[in-house]
Amino acid sequence: MKKEKTKTEIGLGMAALGRPEYINIDAGNRDKSEVAFRANALKVLDDAYEKGVRYFDTAPSYGKGEEFLKAWNDGRKYTDVVLGTKWGYTYVANWQLGYDGPHEVKEHSLGKLTEQWQVSKELLPALQYYQIHSATFESGVLENKPVLEKLLEIKKATGLKIGISTSGPKQKEVIENALQTSINGDVVFDSFQVTFNMFEQATLPILRKVQAQGKKLIIKEALANGRVFPNKRYPQYQSLYTTLRTLAERHQVGMDAIALRFVMDYLQPDYVLSGAADINQLDQNLKANTFTLNEEELGELTEAKVDSMAYWKERSQLSWD
């Protein structure tokens, strides 16, 4: 019997909706006041739900992301939404435009977990995913027994799926380690949120293992922080841009939809996140639901992959805007 393809759903990430500046290629000028951002976030959330989106992903470091999502969820009272959030980063830019310094500070301590859980748990019962934000070996979080015990305690008390999100050139190794992490025989992690796109495909083998073990897989940064759009800054991607234009014209969608569809058809995760900052971007992203890519088209796009170290070095040079 032929196995049917897994249906990947497009979820909505709140990174560009909850704070005025984000690591991305600037999409243009917009009102960056907190009042305008709140109104826009609620509008985008409404539009997303109306168009079939059911998974919404946020984090304390996304500025007011958790607050906006909670206000929307409490107000609408839908019974079929699935929420995910994270812990371990704190937003410190305090809505200051052009903030000079890191906009978010990482801390994977038991104290930070306890502090942020007190706020995040207000998203229950819609909250289903609770993730370590950008788990790394350097932070020691995967070996921090008190933290892991607290996460298991939360899991047992709430039924939440406990997960990690990953970034950086060591994603593969971090995921491999997390898959083997247990406390007294209890497996800790049930979900993995990973950066994967046409450029960054290094995690493919380990993600196949994640899927084979029945873990949940969520993909972020499918648009490579905007680098899938034609940009003279990246001469090395010009041939890919030509391919993307051709595919976009063929399927009558934007290049963003091609990038999302690549992840959906090639990897088939549970969710791939739209990082839309407004209704127009969201509508364009959701066109990825209207077509599929064939094997030949997928083959063309898989050839776009680059070295992981080069990818992450390039990403680190993007500005907050």
Side-chain angles (χ1 to χ4, degrees):
M1 187 182 208
K2 187 178 179 181
K3 184 181 177 183
E4 289 188 8
K5 280 190 174 183
T6 303
K7 185 182 185 311
T8 300
E9 293 185 37
I10 296 176
L12 179 63
M14 299 286 293
L17 292 168
R19 57 190 172 190
E21 295 177 324
Y22 180 53
I23 299 174
N24 215 333
I25 293 172
D26 196 9
N29 296 323
R30 53 178 172 157
D31 185 341
K32 293 185 176 181
S33 69
E34 188 176 327
V35 170
F37 256 70
R38 181 187 176 91
N40 178 64
L42 297 181
K43 194 173 178 182
V44 174
L45 287 164
D46 277 337
D47 190 58
Y49 185 86
E50 183 183 326
K51 290 181 168 65
V53 175
R54 293 297 179 268
Y55 178 64
F56 301 90
D57 189 273
T58 190
S61 63
Y62 296 172
K64 300 283 185 176
E66 277 194 332
E67 181 182 318
F68 294 166
L69 185 57
K70 183 180 185 301
W72 176 80
N73 187 55
D74 289 350
R76 301 301 181 264
K77 302 189 186 306
Y78 295 126
T79 58
D80 57 348
V81 300
V82 175
L83 308 183
T85 193
K86 311 172 193 75
W87 72 273
Y89 272 81
T90 302
Y91 176 68
V92 295
N94 197 29
W95 220 274
Q96 295 178 43
L97 303 184
Y99 182 74
D100 185 18
H103 287 230
E104 50 190 25
V105 175
K106 182 176 189 170
E107 184 186 331
H108 284 160
S109 67
L110 178 60
K112 181 57 66 174
L113 167 58
T114 302
E115 170 200 324
Q116 293 188 327
W117 172 241
Q118 291 305 308
V119 177
S120 296
K121 70 181 182 181
E122 295 300 316
L123 293 169
L124 290 167
L127 185 66
Q128 291 189 26
Y129 293 88
Y130 195 52
Q131 305 150 96
I132 300 174
H133 200 159
S134 293
T136 61
F137 292 126
E138 289 76 14
S139 77
V141 70
L142 297 179
E143 297 175 344
N144 190 323
K145 192 175 179 184
V147 164
L148 298 176
E149 287 176 338
K150 178 65 175 179
L151 289 171
L152 279 173
E153 177 189 313
I154 291 170
K155 182 198 288 196
K156 289 173 182 176
T158 63
L160 284 173
K161 291 177 178 64
I162 298 298
I164 63 169
S165 75
T166 60
S167 292
K170 292 183 180 178
Q171 284 192 118
K172 189 173 90 169
E173 293 82 0
V174 170
I175 295 165
E176 182 80 63
N177 185 288
L179 279 174
Q180 300 170 33
T181 300
S182 64
I183 296 289
N184 299 324
D186 290 330
V187 174
V188 179
F189 300 112
D190 315 293
S191 72
F192 295 82
Q193 183 173 146
V194 183
T195 296
F196 186 94
N197 53 56
M198 286 178 285
F199 301 132
E200 170 57 305
Q201 301 177 35
T203 54
L204 181 64
I206 192 65
L207 295 186
R208 294 298 187 207
K209 188 182 289 188
V210 165
Q211 292 173 310
Q213 292 188 18
K215 309 288 187 181
K216 294 295 183 179
L217 181 57
I218 303 166
I219 297 302
K220 62 188 174 77
E221 298 185 9
L223 306 188
N225 303 95
R227 280 172 284 165
V228 299
F229 297 110
N231 192 314
K232 292 178 182 176
R233 241 188 290 177
Y234 305 115
Q236 70 272 34
Y237 300 144
Q238 295 309 310
S239 62
L240 171 65
Y241 294 149
T242 299
T243 299
L244 284 170
R245 279 195 196 94
T246 300
L247 292 175
E249 289 171 7
R250 183 182 302 162
H251 294 286
Q252 299 185 342
V253 297
M255 293 162 77
D256 57 320
I258 299 296
L260 287 163
R261 194 72 227 180
F262 167 74
V263 172
M264 295 165 78
D265 287 337
Y266 185 55
L267 187 59
Q268 300 175 29
D270 294 279
Y271 298 103
V272 59
L273 298 180
S274 162
D278 56 43
I279 284 178
N280 180 58
Q281 289 180 11
L282 177 65
D283 290 349
Q284 292 300 312
N285 287 177
L286 291 177
K287 288 182 180 178
N289 285 324
T290 66
F291 68 100
T292 58
L293 296 168
N294 62 38
E295 293 301 320
E296 183 181 344
E297 292 169 332
L298 286 173
E300 288 183 89
L301 297 175
T302 57
E303 291 176 5
K305 65 184 176 183
V306 300
D307 174 74
S308 253
M309 292 297 290
Y311 175 88
W312 290 102
K313 182 180 179 182
E314 191 177 87
R315 184 187 185 279
S316 72
Q317 294 167 348
L318 294 173
S319 59
W320 286 76
D321 51 36

